[in-house]
Amino acid sequence: MEKRLLSGNEAIARGAFEAGVTVGTGYPGTPSTEILENLTTYEGVYTEWSVNEKVALEVGIGAALAGARTLVTMKHVGLNVAADPLFTSSYIGVKGGLVIANADDPNMHSSQNEQDNRHYAYAAKVPMLEPADSEEARQFTKLAFEMSEAYDTPVILRSTTRISHAKGVVLLENPDRSRKASGFERNIKKYVMIPGHARLRHIEVEKRMERLGKDVNASPVNVIEMNDPAVGIITSGICYTYVKEALPEASVLKLGIVNPLPEELIRRFFSSCKKVCIVEELDPYLELRVKAMGFKVEGKSLFSSVGELDPDAIRKAFGVKTTPALPSSVQLPPRPPSLCPGCPHRTVFKILNQMGLIVTGDIGCYTLGVMPPFSAMDTCVEMGGSIGLLQGIEVAMDGSGSKSAAGVKMTAVGVIGDSTFAHSGISGLINAAYNGRKSLFIVLDNGTTAMTGMQPNPFSGERINGQEAFSLDYEKLGEACGIKNGNVRIVDAYKPKDVEESIRALLDSGSLALLVIKGPCVIYKRKKMKNKDKKPV
Ligand SMILES: Cc1ncc(C[n+]2csc(CCOP(=O)(O)OP(=O)(O)O)c2C)c(N)n1
């Protein structure tokens, strides 16, 4: 069998291709982005960057109901956006397999929080698989499609940054390209979730989870590796790899499926070991559930719920000698992130700083406008948040006002990137018009989704595969969303006088306004050249 060195993300794409996937959707987000970027290189697979994760999952649900094996990709916080369709897709089930490849980001290498998405699988009552390396990422993706169809459910494949981005040896199997979408068949009681239908479907969901709960005890991906019975470790994902390195003598129960949990197998493991501990990153997810089964177990009393683990953290917790730290002379110097030299966002933040405005910010490269020397961002919560937060600040300030340290009355503006505006800013703009706000929203359009590695979006006139696409028109959009008096302006980011004059004029206009500041991302072209001849694995 052919072998390749692949990242976890490349291996998930390969697994999906081998499983006969014909539809892939997603929204970019570190550390998940490369899954769809790789899937798009395979012949015979339709892929799209959807406008956001909710829409990506909806397109995925539709494709699966029409019988196509479908992969939907997103980062952990993306699943918050897609949570609404997720919970009900658990009720309606699938026809073609539906797998959501979801990547968590412990330690927040590139995220605004480090939520633990294992809770979603439990709460939405869907199975969750967790590979521990690249080869498992490929195999588990295929298994996830089989489980999805066998149990009539969407399945979540959970990765974390270390699995997604580390490389490992992967075996290549022949792809199943004979699969065709079998077509949509009407099934109103199963697909139309009015309460009368949903009540019956909920019963089916509970039965499914009960059946799965029994079957996972015999799954080949939940494995007991008996060694020294003095200490048994229950673990999954990347933590399994750390445990094997740090405690090679320990007995291990390696869980490939983290929802539902194999209670019988866990019981057997407890009866074979003197003491059992749980090694998991982030929340005490396994710990609480194993404790709820009635077992006495240690977990978060030994480890932090914050950040990543590593072999040394495990050695330390078990009193094993740790690796000596490198002397500071050979440690890498810290490299705080900053806007690139020549980045079009620089001019804007310099001006916003000089004008002393309150800036509700958003997520993208431009969030770095918070850093010195710009220091021109006051809030950043989640994608699209700048638009809603600005309205809240304005509503609260009406009448009371807000003052700078120097006692000067302060005015607020919202700043958002083009991809983020399309993702979840537009509905906030409609809210502003509907509720009579007079806000100024500034879109920083650099022609791409730069933060996650230059993916096209609905404003860039291009699709995932480089095909030309319809591009949203700011002026028509602004007008349709309720902006009046020609208060949509488009200016060049490299003409600072125009930028400043437009901000002043639109603020003075006293009515709802949209300022689009355009300047292409300076490293976009280079990346495009590099990816031009990307071949499938
Ligand atoms: C819900 C959600 N999905 C995805 C991401 C990952 N992400 C962070 S910023 C961003 C978009 C940035 O693009 P844009 O708004 O165009 O700004 P730019 O980086 O190009 O300046 C994405 C997709 C996220 N943080 N949250």
Side-chain angles (χ1 to χ4, degrees):
M1 218 182 283
E2 210 184 320
K3 286 181 188 170
R4 291 282 171 83
L5 194 62
L6 298 184
S7 70
N9 283 349
E10 290 169 328
I12 293 170
R14 174 71 201 187
F17 176 65
E18 289 180 4
V21 159
T22 53
V23 178
T25 66
Y27 184 74
T30 311
S32 71
T33 313
E34 301 83 6
I35 304 172
L36 204 62
E37 283 181 332
N38 276 275
L39 191 60
T40 199
T41 62
Y42 290 102
E43 194 98 350
V45 187
Y46 167 82
T47 51
E48 68 169 47
W49 285 128
S50 307
V51 66
N52 62 35
E53 294 86 353
K54 177 177 183 289
V55 175
L57 183 52
E58 289 157 351
V59 175
I61 293 168
L65 291 187
R69 279 196 166 181
T70 303
L71 184 73
V72 182
T73 74
M74 61 193 68
K75 70 180 289 168
H76 63 323
V77 285
L79 203 53
N80 301 338
V81 179
D84 203 1
L86 170 71
F87 277 67
T88 306
S89 71
S90 167
Y91 280 33
I92 68 170
V94 301
K95 190 173 178 218
L98 176 62
V99 175
I100 301 157
N102 176 127
D104 286 11
D105 188 16
N107 209 30
M108 297 171 276
H109 295 276
S110 187
S111 302
Q112 69 268 37
N113 75 27
E114 55 180 345
Q115 68 189 45
D116 186 333
N117 275 12
R118 292 176 299 173
H119 299 294
Y120 268 118
Y122 184 70
K125 300 173 193 283
V126 296
M128 177 179 268
L129 275 68
E130 204 181 357
D133 58 28
S134 293
E135 172 58 4
E136 283 194 359
R138 180 190 70 87
Q139 289 176 1
F140 284 23
T141 305
K142 296 172 82 169
L143 175 64
F145 279 102
E146 279 158 28
M147 282 177 76
S148 173
E149 286 169 8
Y151 294 91
D152 191 15
T153 175
V155 174
I156 303 177
L157 181 83
R158 178 186 188 244
S159 157
T160 53
T161 308
R162 301 288 169 183
I163 299 292
S164 280
H165 287 173
K167 291 202 172 192
V169 175
V170 171
L171 306 175
L172 304 190
E173 287 182 288
N174 286 334
D176 175 3
R177 300 317 296 167
S178 60
R179 281 180 182 277
K180 295 262 172 311
S182 49
F184 184 84
E185 284 166 70
R186 184 170 286 157
N187 191 343
I188 291 167
K189 287 203 167 135
K190 190 162 181 275
Y191 298 161
V192 183
M193 284 303 97
I194 53 173
H197 296 170
R199 281 184 202 114
L200 297 174
R201 289 303 306 166
H202 188 180
I203 296 168
E204 293 306 314
V205 170
E206 295 301 332
K207 283 190 197 156
R208 170 182 84 207
M209 290 315 283
E210 206 180 308
R211 186 156 63 98
L212 261 162
K214 290 199 177 102
D215 294 354
V216 290
N217 289 292
S219 168
V221 301
N222 289 329
V223 204
I224 293 180
E225 298 173 354
M226 258 338 265
N227 223 329
D228 182 356
V231 180
I233 308 283
I234 302 178
T235 189
S236 67
I238 192 66
C239 292
Y240 165 77
T241 319
Y242 300 154
V243 167
K244 293 303 274 188
E245 192 177 323
L247 308 171
E249 303 301 323
S251 295
V252 176
L253 167 53
K254 175 182 185 295
L255 297 172
I257 300 171
V258 292
N259 192 58
L261 292 182
E263 193 164 344
E264 274 315 307
L265 199 65
I266 291 171
R267 200 167 294 285
R268 212 182 319 147
F269 191 58
F270 270 87
S271 63
S272 318
C273 300
K274 273 209 189 96
K275 179 182 171 188
V276 176
C277 298
I278 290 179
V279 178
E280 58 187 330
E281 283 175 336
L282 302 181
D283 295 347
Y285 167 85
L286 296 174
E287 183 181 341
L288 290 179
R289 295 197 45 208
V290 168
K291 279 181 173 162
M293 289 171 189
F295 297 110
K296 203 165 162 267
V297 73
E298 271 203 275
K300 288 295 156 184
S301 51
L302 301 170
F303 301 103
S304 170
S305 295
V306 178
E308 292 179 293
L309 296 181
D310 58 28
D312 266 343
I314 296 165
R315 286 189 190 106
K316 208 169 148 199
F318 288 87
V320 179
K321 196 166 167 260
T322 56
T323 326
L326 287 173
S328 59
S329 56
V330 292
Q331 277 175 10
L332 288 174
R335 220 163 46 111
S338 66
L339 289 170
C340 300
C343 171
H345 300 334
R346 286 181 163 257
T347 333
V348 184
F349 286 109
K350 191 171 166 210
I351 292 168
L352 290 171
N353 172 310
Q354 284 163 355
M355 293 180 78
L357 297 164
I358 297 171
V359 179
T360 61
D362 223 299
I363 306 199
C365 286
Y366 54 93
T367 315
L368 293 169
V370 69
M371 307 292 271
F374 311 106
S375 309
M377 190 169 290
D378 298 290
T379 65
C380 170
V381 181
E382 37 59 83
M383 286 190 76
S386 59
I387 307 273
L389 262 81
L390 175 60
Q391 295 169 56
I393 289 175
E394 285 181 353
V395 169
M397 273 165 53
D398 263 358
S400 64
S402 206
K403 296 206 170 47
S404 72
V408 181
K409 184 166 186 298
M410 289 171 82
T411 312
V413 296
V415 170
I416 188 166
D418 48 337
S419 189
T420 307
F421 185 54
H423 176 279
S424 46
I426 294 171
S427 46
L429 175 61
I430 297 170
N431 187 70
Y434 173 54
N435 289 299
R437 304 294 342 132
K438 298 175 171 53
S439 326
L440 169 57
F441 300 116
I442 300 175
V443 179
L444 303 182
D445 186 339
N446 56 2
T448 187
T449 314
M451 173 87 170
T452 45
M454 323 290 163
Q455 293 74 31
N457 67 58
F459 287 103
S460 31
E462 200 187 352
R463 296 203 186 98
I464 190 169
N465 51 11
Q467 266 177 6
E468 215 175 288
F470 147 88
S471 165
L472 259 170
D473 180 321
Y474 286 105
E475 273 154 353
K476 288 186 182 148
L477 176 80
E479 200 182 325
C481 289
I483 299 180
K484 299 206 176 71
N485 313 326
N487 256 8
V488 180
R489 277 207 199 181
I490 301 177
V491 293
D492 185 336
Y494 292 102
K495 294 191 173 151
K497 276 203 181 118
D498 290 1
V499 172
E500 187 171 346
E501 190 275 321
S502 297
I503 295 174
R504 285 193 198 286
L506 291 173
L507 281 175
D508 288 347
S509 79
S511 50
L512 187 64
L514 186 67
L515 175 62
V516 182
I517 303 178
K518 280 199 173 215
C521 167
V522 285
I523 55 171
Y524 177 40
K525 265 201 196 128
R526 218 184 319 150
K527 154 106 182 184
K528 246 186 141 177
M529 296 297 289
K530 215 171 97 192
N531 277 357
K532 207 166 47 110
D533 300 320
K534 203 160 192 266
K535 298 250 174 346
V537 174

